Amino acid sequence: FNAKRQSDLLLNKIDRLTNQFLESTKEMRESSKLAAAADRAMEGQGLELGAWGTLGDIDVPMGQTKGLLGSVDNAIVQKQRQQKKKQQQQDDTDFNNDAATQQANRILIVADESKDPIAKKLLPRLTKQLQSTIAGLEVEVLKPSTTMPLGGNNAACVVLFLPSLSTNPKSPLLDRLLRRTMLPGGQVSQPPTQLVAISTLGTERTNKFPYSMQNLIGRPLDQRREYEEAIIRIIQQRYDEPFLDYTIIKLGEITDTTSKEDFSFMPGDVLDGTTSLETATEVLMQAVAFQPDARNATLSVVGNLPNEITLPEWDDLFLKLAGPELFRTTVSSDSDDDSDLEQKFRQLSEYLGEWATLLSKSQKLITPIRAERSPVSPPSLAVKQRAGVRLLFQATQTGKNYMSKDEERAREDETGGKYNSSNNKQSNNGKKQKNSREGGVEVFVEITHQNELRVRARRCNMADETVVKELSEESILSRLQESLAAFQKNYQS
């Protein structure tokens, strides 16, 4: 009875201190979703092998490891706690030192080599490479049929081979891995804060050949897609500690020898073909420990890696996941002279700024837009110089904003006055509603470290509930390509 009472008191104390901490950091947490936070924080900071540099204005040390295992936001919070340790009250100090354990330098892999051909080929090589690259790393492999340890044995990262899983996503597997629990000595476990799901191509294209055929018996692709969606849903619904990141990596059939396809790396589920064993291993290594843009993203990869790929080239590949990227093209250059490249960069930046302003006023798009300059970005390992413009979609009375007459009458009753359907951002009581993120397209002009002048476009101003406006995006990209063709013609003439 006394032991149970002490345990309850400790958990109550943890909950009280956690609530205090969450309240004091609410603004920081709400603004630090990984996709945006990692992109903003890492640009210009540099990335040496084994160091993530500055995240959220906090220098995050890697300790004895190379790379970062676990959530980025979690690393930021842990560093902030260390910095404030001397100023904390005694209760907080006791909580940080005694009640909660630190995540172990451990990766937990859930796979069944006897049932999963991808795991059979990839797991031995991946395990060996992880341990040789990340100093002091422990790798634990469990079959899905095993009862999963509560809290994932304090592992920082869990790698799930989805083709190995035959259970429903509603099974207790994920719940047990992510659940906080008591440990011997009165400590509280720190569940994993990073989920990496290894899946297969075609889980989002089961209505197309050949994936429709692969999905006929037992619906394996549908089941993997259900797990992918369950993982994303868990991350989207988590607003408190511990922070949690995910990465979904979709591979083709693993080949021991050279793949028939050239190397290709893209966001989402858009590629077809086989994936060489070396390619799968190297991409997984980068995604697990070294690439901020791989967090909270889905990617697909096929083919064979080039003979040698440098760290800046890896950064440039994973840059496609930020947004994600919608368009990329290299603008031809008449000269390798730096001054000519700088001049063309400035000309193209101003040209696209004027183009964006005119487009926003033309009213030729399905969805109205507002143009604004992108924040200034310092240099990074992938890009020497960058300028950009954002085309932000504006709210309309369509889609999720549409209201029927009955819904308008109900809103009138709620607001106590006539509801203005043409401007639902402000009701008659004078209180403004919070502006929702409607999405947008951000266009960059960049000079790479290979002295190439290029233009990229990516999604921006996105939230979990934002509806993707594909037709408007396609219209903007089409007009962008026409404008680039006109610029190059005028510049070369």
Side-chain angles (χ1 to χ4, degrees), residues 6 25 74 104 155 160-161 175 214 218 231 253 260 262 273-274 326 351 363 366 423 458 461 487:
Q6 290 298 322
T25 61
N74 201 53
L160 298 168
F161 280 77
D175 180 63
Q214 296 176 13
I231 289 170
E253 179 186 352
K260 297 178 182 179
D262 293 331
T274 60
L326 302 171
Y351 175 82
Q363 299 182 342
I366 300 172
N423 184 12
R458 70 176 186 182
N461 196 39
F487 172 82

Side-chain angles (χ1 to χ4, degrees), residues 350-366:
E350 290 300 322
Y351 175 82
L352 288 181
E354 293 296 326
W355 164 80
T357 301
L358 292 174
L359 184 62
S360 66
K361 296 178 180 179
S362 67
Q363 299 182 342
K364 293 182 179 180
L365 298 177
I366 300 172

Side-chain angles (χ1 to χ4, degrees), residues 457-472:
R458 70 176 186 182
R459 287 192 182 123
C460 67
N461 196 39
M462 300 292 291
D464 293 338
E465 70 278 2
T466 303
V467 177
V468 176
K469 301 171 179 60
E470 293 186 0
L471 291 177
S472 294

Side-chain angles (χ1 to χ4, degrees), residues 190-229:
Q190 291 293 318
T193 56
Q194 181 185 7
L195 293 178
V196 178
I198 300 174
S199 189
T200 56
L201 298 172
T203 60
E204 300 175 51
R205 296 174 286 163
T206 54
N207 60 331
K208 298 180 180 179
F209 184 83
Y211 307 110
S212 56
M213 301 298 294
Q214 296 176 13
N215 200 43
L216 278 179
I217 301 176
R219 299 174 52 251
L221 298 185
D222 286 342
Q223 182 177 327
R224 290 165 203 167
R225 181 56 185 165
E226 289 172 3
Y227 259 104
E228 294 168 8
E229 291 176 339

